[in-house]
Amino acid sequence: MSGMEREDDFQARRARLRKLSDQELYDKFWSLVDKIVAPLIEEACSHTTPSIERSVLLRMGFSSLECRDLVARMQERGLLGHGAGRLVLELSTLKGISTREAGAALLEGRYWEELPL
Amino acid sequence: MKLSPDQKLDISDVLKDLDRYRPRRRGWSWRSKLKEHKVGSFIYYDASEDLDHSVPLPAAQAFDDIDPQCDMMITTEIASGRFEDDLRRMRMAAWHGADHIMVIRTTGQSHFDGLIEGTPEGIGGIPVTRKQLRATRKALDAIEDEVGRPINFHSYVSGLAGPEMAVLFAEEGVNGAHQDPQYNVLYRDINMHRSFVDAAEAKCILGDGGILQLDGAHNANATAKQAWKVTPELLVQHAVNTGYSRAVGMPPDLIALSTVPPTAPPAPKLRLDLPYAVALRDLFQGYRFRAQQNTRYMESDTEEATVTHVLDTLISRLTSADIQSTITPDEGRNIPWHYNNVAGVNAARQVLMGVDGLKQMIDLKQDGPLSEQAREIKERAVLFLEEILEGGGYYAAVEAGQFVDQGYYPERKGDGIVRDAAGGDGAASVLAREADYGAPVCSHFGHNVYATETGKPCDQYGGCSLCDSGKIQYIDELDAEDNVDKRLAQPLAERARGVLRPEVEKHGDGVVCVTLFVPERPQLAEAAALEMARYMGLDKPEVINRRLMHPAEGSVFEIKGTLAVAVSIDALPVEEKQALLGDDEIEAWVRGRDIHLVAATVGEDEHSVGLHEILDIKHGGIERYGFHCHDLGTSVSVEQLLDVAEQAGASAILASIIVTHADVHMKHMRRLHALARQRGLRRRLVLVVGGTRITDKLARECGMDAGFGHGTTGRNVASFLVRKLRDMNLS
């Protein structure tokens, strides 16, 4: 329960909205929405989550089980902020192996110390 | 895989080679709308292309069996728990006009942090997995070929694994998805930061994949006690998801609002719901509307639910909707039964065909209470948005319980849903991207070192799975016990043995429903009804609907129970059906023989539609083979029929007879036979009767040569006549 209670004071509050045309009310509605959404989008641009990182590895050709294990291990090591896909891709470049081979090696516990950060 | 209308869907065929199955198209498909479309005797103005195969509405039998299709897509929601049973339900619904199949997920999948594989059984829905998606999409490919219209497959991209689910949907050709982070926050208590960050990635993938997104705002009216009071907030919830989706880059025609008329009679439904529907469409021009039917006030009475859903659908036509969703009329009392999916779909298409062209005749008034109330709801929504910003933004507003409060905003009752921005499932799982953060894949949202002006982020390693489906890793099953093969063992064995059981939900579940009226006061009547159901042999009888007719005179009950009886197909008496003669063979024999027939509707009956369909050349009737038909019309006596037959030297009489109480129809048939014999005509005069409830057996018992029931065509009758007359000529 939020505890916040208030009588319906719509008639008093609407006074300043009444003079707006329908178009002006429409514009006001969407400008408020944009302001509410902006910080949420900003956070999404600059942050990631385990599910996003698993979805990246999924797109790189790993199975859901491999994605789960790779992301969990990267998270344990505090590496996820670099991007799971980036770690795998850069390791494959460094070692001259395919991305799947790089992922498989990490799952076998190899190359973790050599990840190019 | 190809389906044949007279063959069951072969689940083994569906499951074969799924590892190699690829979807044949991606993204959403709309119906092909037609502005003026002639079907049978009518022109339709809100129609779409006809189907190749379908089951027409029941009354179509009086209108040349036409099956016009409405312009809106029709949704059915499927929630059996076993996808292998869902497929048959989808096929039945598609034959009745559904082309948006929404599969409900199993309870708890929202909280599963990752993907599920294989085909485990679900509760109230199915675990959405790659194998299940493939099998379903593969079956829907075949079903859409059978009915002749694209079918959209839809499920949910919410919960803790939204981005992964979105990738899965894009890879596997899923066409539509629910995606709304507010649903996670308010109804699943999933951490709000996690929900919104995940949602941006998921929306980016859905948008690029052409997958239609539905929002989750309608859940507020399903939750609120007085659903019509949350209308200002509904506009806000739609707007937050829509604004967020646009900011991510999703095109507007892939953003659909899931909207429900909030009330049900005895509330003055249209007076309350129409202003809201108008306000919503004013503010969200350019987006798509998925009109859902009301579930908030559904009780166990399926007829009551249907009437509410009819009014909901009328609101869709009076305003606008791209998709008309349907709710099964039994959702208020149990997990929907498959034939009730069909009932829901039929109610919507019956309404939409019935109100075709309505907006050519009536307009919603632009002045007066409708526009005043619509304006008021919009102003209340603007005030709601202002308070979100004044309080510190969306997260702070949720923490302050501003959402799903029962007050008519700005009224606040203090009972809104409160969530902690630092709490909930998946809390503290959001992390900042480092400066060198990278995701070398397509459809990725936000900061990414691999995002360049030229080329794709996945070019460096030969393309991601969205560009090259060969990269997808398919997992078949992980659980040796809980999987589709184990579940199918018994049903497939029973099918092979030719054993049948009744069912409502899952293959051969044995569930039946009986309706009983008991003339006693409610409690006593209910106890008696249950006892009677036990006498009928029903195991675990349970009252699923009770309706009082009068406190003392009685109540009617619907009782479900399990019938533990399996019937062997081999033991059933089946009428021998003779193959029909070909059109050419019939015509070749009839033409030149100068065969006269006398036809009429017998007795006190003004129905003539059925007989015309059998006779008239334009309905494909028997005239086209060269028979000379003397149609005497309706309410003709048996004597008149025989008089004309005698004068014309007719070879046969075709009598249309309606089945009545007191068995008048049987008396007519017996009399026709007896009089014909008295007059010495019977040996050379073939007597045929027809009518919707006539059977061949009944007709023969009453002295006729043949009887034809519902679904008979001219060819059926002509084929019989030619065989019979040929035999008589030989003898």
Side-chain angles (χ1 to χ4, degrees):
Chain A
M1 298 286 275
S2 67
M4 162 86 171
E5 288 183 49
R6 182 168 63 208
E7 293 292 308
D8 188 1
D9 55 357
F10 174 63
Q11 293 306 335
R13 287 174 178 245
R14 85 182 303 189
R16 64 196 163 75
L17 297 177
R18 288 205 89 148
K19 60 180 183 295
L20 299 181
S21 69
D22 282 346
Q23 183 61 45
E24 286 166 339
L25 190 72
Y26 174 94
D27 293 341
K28 187 173 181 64
F29 179 87
W30 283 106
S31 118
L32 291 164
V33 172
D34 289 344
K35 284 185 190 137
I36 290 167
V37 163
L40 304 175
I41 281 291
E42 179 49 40
E43 184 186 16
C45 273
S46 56
H47 289 73
T48 190
T49 70
S51 180
I52 290 177
E53 295 311 313
R54 289 191 300 257
S55 83
V56 170
L57 293 181
L58 207 55
R59 276 172 274 184
M60 290 176 74
F62 292 94
S63 75
S64 66
L65 299 179
E66 293 163 338
C67 295
R68 184 189 66 192
D69 292 349
L70 279 168
V71 166
R73 293 192 203 182
M74 289 172 184
Q75 203 169 7
E76 282 165 18
R77 291 172 164 82
L79 299 173
L80 217 47
H82 301 281
R86 178 181 171 274
L87 297 178
V88 171
L89 179 61
E90 297 304 329
L91 179 65
S92 80
T93 309
L94 182 77
K95 292 286 174 190
I97 54 178
S98 71
T99 46
R100 272 202 62 77
E101 285 165 341
L106 290 172
L107 284 173
E108 287 162 11
R110 294 186 287 140
Y111 303 145
W112 283 96
E113 304 313 316
E114 298 174 58
L115 283 172
L117 296 174
Chain B
M1 198 174 96
K2 192 172 179 339
L3 298 176
S4 167
D6 58 356
Q7 295 290 321
K8 286 182 176 300
L9 182 80
D10 183 350
I11 184 73
S12 312
D13 212 7
V14 174
L15 294 172
K16 201 165 73 187
D17 299 332
L18 277 181
D19 55 329
R20 293 204 294 277
Y21 170 78
R22 302 303 311 136
R24 58 187 179 184
R25 65 186 157 80
R26 292 179 194 285
W28 186 263
S29 301
W30 294 102
R31 286 190 183 188
S32 309
K33 294 187 185 182
L34 300 167
K35 279 291 158 208
E36 283 191 24
H37 184 45
K38 190 162 192 310
V39 186
S41 311
F42 309 109
I43 292 176
Y44 292 88
Y45 298 93
D46 303 314
S48 59
E49 294 282 358
D50 301 343
L51 295 182
D52 296 334
H53 286 110
S54 68
V55 180
L57 289 167
Q61 60 143 323
F63 302 97
D64 301 331
D65 274 322
I66 55 171
D67 192 13
Q69 301 292 312
C70 58
D71 56 348
M72 295 176 199
M73 308 197 67
I74 296 185
T75 312
T76 193
E77 297 187 9
I78 303 221
S80 79
R82 294 180 183 174
F83 83 92
E84 64 273 23
D85 286 312
D86 291 348
L87 304 181
R88 296 179 298 130
R89 187 184 298 230
M90 291 172 193
R91 188 185 187 195
M92 293 191 275
W95 273 62
H96 289 261
D99 53 351
H100 177 206
I101 305 287
M102 187 179 288
V103 171
I104 308 297
R105 298 199 303 182
T106 183
T107 306
Q109 189 162 6
S110 287
H111 296 283
F112 197 86
D113 198 357
L115 295 179
I116 300 174
E117 301 282 1
T119 53
E121 184 164 350
I123 301 162
I126 51 134
V128 169
T129 67
R130 191 183 294 280
K131 181 173 181 180
Q132 178 275 133
L133 293 178
R134 275 193 189 185
T136 305
R137 189 58 259 179
K138 181 181 173 186
L140 286 175
D141 289 350
I143 294 169
E144 67 185 15
D145 286 345
E146 185 182 38
V147 297
R149 178 165 64 196
I151 294 176
N152 291 287
F153 176 31
H154 179 121
S155 195
Y156 294 72
V157 173
S158 53
L160 281 169
E164 296 151 274
M165 204 58 89
V167 168
L168 190 60
F169 282 20
E171 289 173 343
E172 299 300 336
V174 178
N175 315 95
H178 271 84
Q179 213 301 313
D180 188 340
Q182 299 165 100
Y183 177 80
N184 272 4
V185 174
L186 295 172
Y187 307 108
R188 291 284 174 261
D189 194 15
I190 293 173
N191 177 262
M192 49 185 102
H193 293 276
R194 170 75 182 260
S195 294
F196 274 85
V197 173
D198 275 350
E201 183 78 2
K203 287 174 191 300
C204 189
I205 297 158
L206 296 178
D208 287 354
I211 297 172
L212 187 78
Q213 172 191 268
L214 267 59
D215 66 16
H218 61 281
N219 290 286
N221 17 23
T223 310
K225 288 183 204 115
Q226 296 177 313
W228 61 98
K229 290 192 174 172
V230 294
T231 49
E233 178 184 327
L234 293 174
L235 298 180
V236 170
Q237 285 202 27
H238 285 303
V240 168
N241 196 55
T242 302
Y244 196 69
S245 304
R246 289 307 308 276
V248 168
M250 191 176 259
D253 66 347
L254 288 180
I255 299 173
L257 280 66
S258 182
T259 176
V260 184
T263 68
K269 181 173 170 66
L270 265 71
R271 211 172 71 217
L272 291 166
D273 294 356
L274 257 183
Y276 166 64
V278 167
L280 183 72
R281 283 155 180 86
D282 284 350
L283 285 174
F284 291 85
Q285 293 161 33
Y287 299 103
R288 300 286 190 171
F289 292 92
R290 172 254 193 166
Q292 176 61 296
Q293 296 170 335
N294 191 287
T295 56
R296 177 66 187 87
Y297 301 105
M298 274 176 88
E299 295 296 330
S300 58
D301 188 325
T302 57
E303 285 161 28
E304 184 204 20
T306 301
V307 173
T308 297
H309 295 163
V310 165
L311 293 172
D312 290 329
T313 310
L314 178 62
I315 291 170
S316 299
R317 178 53 76 211
L318 288 172
T319 53
S320 71
D322 300 286
I323 304 170
Q324 179 61 56
S325 261
T326 64
I327 293 290
T328 64
D330 61 338
E331 192 178 298
R333 66 190 193 195
N334 47 247
I335 287 174
W337 292 355
H338 51 32
Y339 59 77
N340 283 320
N341 279 86
V342 170
V345 169
N346 274 341
R349 71 170 170 147
Q350 187 178 346
V351 174
L352 289 169
M353 294 335 297
V355 299
D356 180 89
L358 184 67
K359 287 181 89 177
Q360 294 178 345
M361 298 182 190
I362 61 165
D363 267 330
L364 295 178
K365 288 175 84 166
Q366 293 301 307
D367 55 358
L370 179 56
S371 60
E372 285 163 20
Q373 286 165 34
R375 168 86 189 197
E376 179 178 331
I377 297 168
K378 287 186 245 179
E379 288 181 10
R380 286 178 185 266
V382 165
L383 295 171
F384 196 113
L385 291 168
E386 285 179 339
E387 187 165 348
I388 293 177
L389 284 170
E390 285 159 12
Y394 177 81
Y395 295 151
V398 177
E399 288 191 304
Q402 196 177 333
F403 287 89
V404 203
D405 184 292
Q406 311 293 328
Y408 189 31
Y409 191 88
E411 180 191 22
R412 296 269 297 262
K413 296 281 193 195
D415 57 359
I417 294 173
V418 177
R419 301 291 185 209
D420 177 1
D425 203 357
S429 62
V430 174
L431 24 130
R433 298 184 191 184
E434 305 287 346
D436 63 358
Y437 175 87
V441 291
C442 292
S443 305
H444 182 66
F445 181 75
H447 171 61
N448 182 6
V449 294
Y450 299 106
T452 55
E453 292 294 316
T454 54
K456 294 176 180 173
C458 60
D459 282 344
Q460 214 178 314
Y461 60 100
C464 65
S465 66
L466 300 176
C467 303
D468 169 16
S469 65
K471 288 233 162 49
I472 297 171
Q473 301 293 319
Y474 179 76
I475 293 174
D476 190 54
E477 298 286 354
L478 294 176
D479 190 323
E481 292 306 314
D482 189 5
N483 64 57
V484 63
D485 296 324
K486 290 276 177 188
R487 288 195 299 274
L488 278 171
Q490 191 201 349
L492 289 183
E494 286 203 346
R495 184 175 290 178
R497 290 204 331 262
V499 168
L500 290 176
R501 296 177 192 276
E503 62 170 50
V504 297
E505 190 189 342
K506 293 169 185 169
H507 187 106
D509 54 34
V511 175
V512 299
C513 180
V514 294
T515 305
L516 292 172
F517 173 87
V518 182
E520 247 310 335
R521 58 194 162 83
Q523 278 180 322
L524 208 53
E526 183 161 332
L530 284 168
E531 193 61 16
M532 290 168 191
R534 282 184 204 103
Y535 275 114
M536 286 184 220
L538 297 191
D539 192 26
K540 299 190 198 77
E542 184 186 330
V543 174
I544 53 172
N545 183 38
R546 50 179 72 75
R547 196 158 23 144
L548 181 74
M549 296 291 109
H550 182 274
E553 297 294 355
S555 288
V556 66
F557 302 91
E558 286 175 88
I559 296 178
K560 80 164 178 185
T562 308
L563 184 70
V565 170
V567 169
S568 173
I569 291 174
D570 292 339
L572 297 175
V574 179
E575 278 182 43
E576 276 295 319
K577 284 215 168 171
Q578 207 168 21
L580 296 183
L581 298 179
D583 285 337
D584 293 344
E585 186 182 356
I586 296 172
E587 189 163 355
W589 195 84
V590 174
R591 290 227 184 259
R593 278 197 163 78
D594 196 27
I595 300 169
H596 288 254
L597 309 174
V598 177
T601 303
V602 171
E604 303 295 313
D605 182 10
E606 294 300 324
H607 291 81
S608 62
V609 178
L611 188 58
H612 282 152
E613 285 181 15
I614 300 303
L615 300 179
D616 292 358
I617 197 157
K618 72 172 173 172
H619 296 308
I622 62 175
E623 284 180 335
R624 70 189 156 123
Y625 300 112
F627 288 108
H628 301 290
C629 297
H630 303 262
D631 182 4
L632 308 187
T634 55
S635 299
V636 175
S637 69
V638 168
E639 287 82 358
Q640 283 170 297
L641 256 178
L642 287 167
D643 290 347
V644 178
E646 204 165 356
Q647 286 157 20
S651 304
I653 282 177
L654 308 185
S656 173
I657 296 181
I658 195 161
V659 172
T660 59
H661 58 90
D663 296 336
V664 177
H665 57 288
M666 291 166 73
K667 288 177 190 153
H668 283 313
M669 287 190 267
R670 289 195 177 111
R671 188 166 157 72
L672 182 60
H673 169 65
L675 268 181
R677 209 163 52 178
Q678 252 178 39
R679 295 191 187 189
L681 301 171
R682 189 65 184 93
R683 277 175 188 277
R684 59 179 172 86
L685 191 61
V686 180
L687 298 180
V688 175
V689 291
T692 48
R693 290 170 62 197
I694 294 286
T695 63
D696 190 52
K697 185 165 175 275
L698 176 75
R700 287 173 192 270
E701 281 168 8
C702 295
M704 302 291 99
D705 293 301
F708 291 92
H710 179 55
T712 301
T713 65
R715 190 174 152 209
N716 294 112
V717 177
S719 189
F720 166 78
L721 284 173
V722 168
R723 281 204 170 101
K724 181 78 184 167
L725 292 170
R726 262 192 327 216
D727 288 352
M728 286 161 65
N729 282 3
L730 288 174
S731 61

